[in-house]
Amino acid sequence: MPAPSIPSAGPPEISVLIPVLDEEETVSELAERVRAVLDGLGRSFEILFVDDGSSDGTAERVRRLHRDDPRIKLIGFRRNFGKAAAISAGVEHSRGQIVITLDGDLQDVPEEIPRFLDEMENEDLDLVSGWKRDRQDPVSKRYPSKLFNWATRKLARVELHDFNCGFKAYRREVLEQVAVYGELHRYIPVLASRRGFRIGEISVEHARRAHGASKYGWDRLYKGLLDFLTVLFITTYLRRPLHLFGVIGLISLGAGFGINLYLAILWAFFDQQLSYRPLLFLGILLMVLGVQMLTTGLLAELITVRSFRRAESYSIRELLV
């Protein structure tokens, strides 16, 4: 690696976060390419590798890079905590006002970074997401991903083509205001959109994997579905849970009351026996369920009021006082 330039004093303009897991063969080349791109732009930066519990020599490779260039840094987890945790740790320990995330397998092309910065600054965006239009992955990964992205785009009403792409650029306040945990990192654009941040997308090159193997399996699909339900809930009903539980409760209670009213008319005016009619038990069950759902919604409202923090209910872009 060529000799690094002297790091500038003060916090850098750009922080590049790279979560890695068993990527010993790629980190040196990736660091060199990212550094060459940002040095070419003449902008101050830091590169943070977040080692998510690697069992190979990934961490040692990054330590060597750090000795040669202190702008290259390492955050090492004790075990594998997941990509969302890696992004959160990277944001917490980074200093740049613009944060760029990319994968550590060299399938994201670092030479695309200037296009992200241009799009963000020229269009005054808060988040720019990459779109792997020509994805270099097996069919078994491409088509489930297309279906997932289509469903997310329609249901979340966020016009992005590739929510799974890890190549993104953020203004720092986006990641400071959006809570990322579990596997919700792929839904950061949805969560950011609900906070009022401005989001854009650019098409990026996607290279074939040259080293190692993918760390994702089929369990990613069902986990993605469950995480999407979580995102829909917290973005729509987090501050008004009774609007969800109350609607379900009222529908159930109304259906149960209607069934029982119908059976009561049969018993009172037509002298019909109801003891062995399954419809009676269904009506009772629906009414009990309705009352339970309403009670759950009210309890959720009490918890929301007690835990309410004013700053989380809005997001300020500009303050002129």
Side-chain angles (χ1 to χ4, degrees):
M1 183 179 290
S5 58
I6 299 173
S8 60
E13 295 178 71
I14 299 169
S15 294
V16 181
L17 305 186
I18 309 175
V20 287
L21 176 61
D22 296 332
E23 300 289 0
E24 178 183 10
E25 297 173 305
T26 65
V27 289
S28 296
E29 179 183 347
L30 181 56
E32 183 174 356
R33 290 170 63 182
V34 171
R35 194 181 71 178
V37 168
L38 293 175
D39 274 339
L41 293 176
R43 304 182 69 164
S44 59
F45 65 92
E46 61 182 352
I47 304 171
L48 289 89
F49 285 95
V50 185
D51 181 14
D52 192 14
S54 295
S55 58
D56 63 0
T58 298
E60 181 55 35
R61 288 284 181 95
V62 179
R63 291 188 196 103
R64 291 181 207 160
L65 294 169
H66 174 73
R67 285 194 289 268
D68 294 333
D69 186 347
R71 295 176 299 179
I72 301 174
K73 304 174 182 181
L74 171 67
I75 301 170
F77 286 173
R78 297 182 188 278
R79 64 170 179 84
N80 178 253
F81 285 94
K83 192 170 184 179
I87 292 174
S88 295
V91 172
E92 184 177 351
H93 292 85
S94 66
R95 298 182 298 156
Q97 289 305 305
I98 294 176
V99 179
I100 296 173
T101 62
L102 69 157
D103 292 338
D105 54 12
L106 286 176
Q107 289 193 272
D108 293 334
V109 179
E111 288 74 19
E112 300 270 17
I113 289 176
R115 295 183 56 231
F116 280 88
L117 298 174
D118 289 343
E119 183 74 8
M120 174 176 285
E121 292 163 355
N122 293 339
E123 300 298 328
D124 196 19
L125 299 173
D126 300 302
L127 188 161
V128 180
S129 182
W131 172 18
K132 297 175 286 190
R133 189 191 294 263
D134 184 18
R135 185 171 176 176
Q136 301 298 312
D137 282 323
V139 173
S140 59
K141 292 183 67 175
R142 290 203 308 269
Y143 286 101
S145 181
K146 286 179 181 289
L147 177 61
F148 164 82
N149 285 313
W150 176 84
T152 303
R153 183 167 62 251
K154 295 300 181 183
L155 293 173
R157 298 188 298 279
V158 176
E159 290 301 317
L160 294 182
H161 294 85
D162 193 352
F163 292 89
N164 282 322
C165 182
F167 206 171
K168 292 181 172 67
Y170 310 84
R171 296 195 188 274
R172 186 172 192 84
E173 52 265 32
V174 175
L175 295 173
E176 288 179 341
Q177 293 189 30
V178 172
V180 182
Y181 61 93
E183 296 291 330
L184 298 187
H185 55 275
R186 61 177 64 92
Y187 295 110
I188 292 177
V190 178
L191 297 169
S193 174
R194 295 297 187 271
R195 296 285 292 174
F197 290 107
R198 289 177 288 194
I199 297 170
E201 183 178 54
I202 62 172
S203 176
V204 295
E205 182 182 349
H206 189 233
R208 292 187 180 276
R209 176 181 274 274
H211 306 284
S214 174
K215 311 303 186 297
Y216 298 104
W218 285 97
D219 59 344
R220 185 182 186 183
L221 295 178
Y222 76 82
K223 287 180 180 178
L225 173 61
L226 296 176
D227 288 335
F228 182 60
L229 294 177
T230 299
V231 168
L232 286 181
F233 178 78
I234 64 178
T235 56
T236 308
Y237 299 108
L238 182 62
R239 297 298 175 196
R240 45 181 184 174
L242 188 58
H243 288 199
L244 173 64
F245 294 106
V247 168
I248 298 173
L250 289 174
I251 292 174
S252 179
L253 187 62
F257 179 79
I259 290 171
N260 289 338
L261 178 62
Y262 165 71
L263 293 176
I265 292 173
L266 293 182
W267 174 76
F269 296 101
F270 299 96
D271 197 28
Q272 292 195 18
Q273 295 298 315
L274 306 179
S275 303
Y276 299 103
R277 297 196 64 164
L279 198 58
L280 174 64
F281 298 102
L282 177 61
I284 295 172
L285 177 63
L286 287 173
M287 292 191 70
V288 171
L289 177 62
V291 171
Q292 287 181 329
M293 294 300 290
L294 287 169
T295 304
T296 299
L298 290 171
L299 290 173
E301 288 284 347
L302 290 175
I303 295 171
T304 300
V305 169
R306 293 289 295 175
S307 62
F308 175 72
R309 286 182 287 185
R310 191 180 303 275
E312 293 182 356
S313 63
Y314 54 79
S315 178
I316 296 176
R317 174 175 173 79
E318 182 179 0
L319 186 62
L320 185 63
V321 295

